[in-house]
Amino acid sequence: MGDITRLLAPRSIAVVGASTNPNKSGGIILQNIVDGGFAGRILPINPRAETILGHRCYASIADLPEPCDLAVIVLQREAVAEAVRDCVAAGIGGVLIITSGFADAGEPGRALERSLQEMLRGSPTRGLGPNTIGLVNRAAHLTATFVAMPQWCDGPIAICAQTGIFAGAVMQEHMGQPYQRLGVGSVLDVGNKLDVDELDFLEWALADEATGVVGLYVEGIPDPRRFVEAAGRVARSKPVVLLKPARTAASAAASALHTGSLAVDDRVLAGGLRQHGIVRADDLTDFFDYLHAFATLRPPRGRRVGLVTTSGALGVMAADELEANGLELACFAPETLAALGTVVPPWQPVSNPADVWIALDVVGPRPGIETPLEAALADPGVDMVLATVLVPPNADFPEVREVFAGLRRRHPEKPLALVLYGGCRHRWLTEIEGLDIPVFASSRAALRSLRALADYREWHDQA
Amino acid sequence: MNRLCEPDAKRLLAAAGLRAPRGAVAGSAAEAEAVARSLGCPVVVKAVSADLTHKSAAGGVRFAGGPHEVRAAYSEVLAAVGRSRPEAHLEGVLVEERLTGGIECVLGLLDAPGFGPVVMFGLGGLFVEVLGDVAFRFVPLAPRDVRAMIGELHGRRLLAPHVNALVAAVVAFAGLSDRVREAEVNPLLARDDGLWALDAVATLR
């Protein structure tokens, strides 16, 4: 069982079932591989074409001049077995079987999948899928999926999923955003996991220098203890965020139909995950938020939060949510209170949450937000800051990027998270893009992520 | 069958530093009364059988405020178990000091499929039956794992004065897993004077 580097960073790729028709999967995948800038040899396998997209076609795997690292198989279900047999015989490094209708589709499909596993067993050829949308690895310029992602945002996140959505439509929509995208370096859809599974991926991600944060979506875990311990080994150096549904019997049954997964006692699993420092997302929103938070913020040294707001109500709600998340409201130091006092009228008391809406009138929009944030971040009794900021036109100012870049540069070790409401929200989001300042949809979402960061730090420091 | 009766299970737990109330096994009503007299306090009278995991349900538990009530309790316990669980092999009756007060906890060890040995800890009594206020961890456990488990419980504030004692006890209990396939202490009573295993079942590997 070799490691899967050869599959994720291949020097050559064959596409078995490459199509001249740009609307068929076999045509789209080839186009995406080419458009992704893959620099190695691209080898379309199609007995009826001479070239596709300028690349010479081969009639079969057996006709390849030398074994390639990765063969993407996009054939009708009934033709897959022969292709896999050919790949094993040719000594191909790995097969990525896009085709569905195997263990995901009842007993005849399961039997077919078992026969594929038999073919791979004992050979050095690894198997990915079947029933997978493919994989992306930006460091290798590899986009072996059939969903086009023109605006991919590269970064330290590596995702392994038992679903196509993170290399498919959900990701396509997410990456289509103009800002606040996850920085994703790689995505692997393990599909039915006939061979390669998240354990292989974890081993790869731990060693991969481009990976700083790991995201996992799993439905079924055949050996939960082994999985938790493997993920825990990674968590000691890189945060691992897990989204695992199928917590209830009903959803486990749905999962069994989807990919033939096994249900796992979720309460025992939950305990083990906490024990091993794995961050658990409760839903897709958490998953995206936590990955974004871990990719942009350093886990804080403690649990004390400074709240800065330009809406009293948002501050009150955030204070409630903070407590519900097991975080602490920081006690501002005298210097911080004094600094806050310079931006509000003398009659307004200052505390945490710091409500500085009135600072707009007293000192103006820029100092009105910059002074309180600088003071809170500089406060030794504050471990992280959440700012809930209203940005109507009268709160706007030209130097937004400069202000936030400065705060981030001066206080890199303390998480700064934002929530923005108002007409200038889009402008502010554009201004701060690329500064590693996550903007959340709500203070509730922000505090969930800050809590996940704080819990991870606590676990990590005790490990 | 490697299941231990309550006194043997408690002896095993004692080796892991978990104390049980004072008591002794009696083979007759007279012996039971004598044990109660020597304890000099209200007692619990319990049927002893490796076949009984739920003694109260089988009618196998009675309280006796004083020694004069013990003979009757002894007979009632044996009669009740004889009716409800006639096949159970009885080894006598345990007469034990009755402890009150404190917080009831539950502490368990089991081989969970797919996970291997797992420890369960939480609030016992009503809380475990109705609310399931428990947490799990894989064996082996570190002290910080026990603290984290307590921190997960809804009723964690009740256990605040007992954290250090619980940490030591749960870690030691987990250490039994190489000899013990399954065990449960319910209730584990947390009082000012320490932790007490009021009842225990255990099955050896």
Side-chain angles (χ1 to χ4, degrees), chain A residues 218-243:
Chain A
V218 289
E219 289 171 7
I221 310 175
D223 189 340
R225 172 120 192 186
R226 192 162 161 233
F227 168 78
V228 170
E229 290 177 342
R233 272 192 294 278
V234 179
R236 288 205 272 272
S237 5
K238 308 181 185 185
V240 176
V241 180
L242 172 68
L243 176 57

Side-chain angles (χ1 to χ4, degrees), chain A residues 7-264:
Chain A
L7 281 67
L8 282 156
R11 292 153 303 181
S12 52
I13 307 179
V15 181
V16 187
S19 177
T20 50
N21 184 337
N23 297 317
K24 297 185 105 181
S25 300
I28 297 170
I29 283 223
L30 188 63
Q31 185 75 63
N32 283 345
I33 291 171
V34 169
D35 289 349
F38 184 67
R41 298 196 62 193
I42 298 176
L43 308 156
I45 309 289
N46 182 331
R48 289 178 301 282
E50 295 272 317
T51 68
I52 308 180
L53 297 177
H55 292 271
R56 185 200 153 166
C57 285
Y58 294 86
S60 73
I61 286 281
D63 292 311
L64 290 175
E66 68 210 14
C68 66
D69 283 332
L70 180 65
V72 181
I73 297 177
V74 200
L75 296 169
Q76 303 279 22
R77 186 180 79 162
E78 281 59 43
V80 170
E82 190 183 328
V84 172
R85 204 172 289 123
D86 289 349
C87 287
V88 172
I92 305 293
V95 292
L96 169 57
I97 306 166
I98 305 290
T99 313
S100 59
F102 293 87
D104 50 296
E107 186 45 41
R110 272 198 289 275
L112 278 170
E113 190 164 314
R114 280 194 296 271
S115 69
L116 296 180
Q117 283 171 318
E118 265 313 301
M119 284 177 220
L120 294 168
R121 211 183 310 277
S123 84
T125 304
R126 301 300 310 266
L128 277 162
N131 184 33
T132 171
I133 205 170
L135 69 93
V136 173
N137 184 1
R138 301 295 296 186
H141 302 282
L142 181 55
T143 307
T145 87
F146 56 86
V147 175
M149 313 266 193
Q151 282 197 157
W152 192 273
C153 179
D154 199 355
I157 300 168
I159 299 176
C160 179
Q162 198 174 337
T163 169
I165 62 176
F166 300 110
V170 166
M171 210 49 145
Q172 188 185 53
E173 182 185 329
H174 176 81
M175 291 299 182
Q177 290 170 191
Y179 34 59
Q180 292 293 313
R181 290 172 299 168
L182 299 186
V184 180
S186 61
V187 182
L188 175 62
D189 173 7
V190 284
N192 294 359
K193 300 192 271 188
L194 93 164
D195 171 25
V196 171
D197 61 13
E198 46 278 325
L199 293 175
D200 294 299
F201 178 83
L202 283 166
E203 197 185 313
W204 174 82
L206 181 58
D208 179 53
E209 281 171 16
T211 296
V213 181
V214 176
L216 296 169
Y217 172 87
V218 289
E219 289 171 7
I221 310 175
D223 189 340
R225 172 120 192 186
R226 192 162 161 233
F227 168 78
V228 170
E229 290 177 342
R233 272 192 294 278
V234 179
R236 288 205 272 272
S237 5
K238 308 181 185 185
V240 176
V241 180
L242 172 68
L243 176 57
K244 186 199 171 295
R247 290 162 112 132
T248 64
S251 63
S255 169
L257 284 172
H258 183 220
T259 54
S261 308
L262 299 164
V264 158

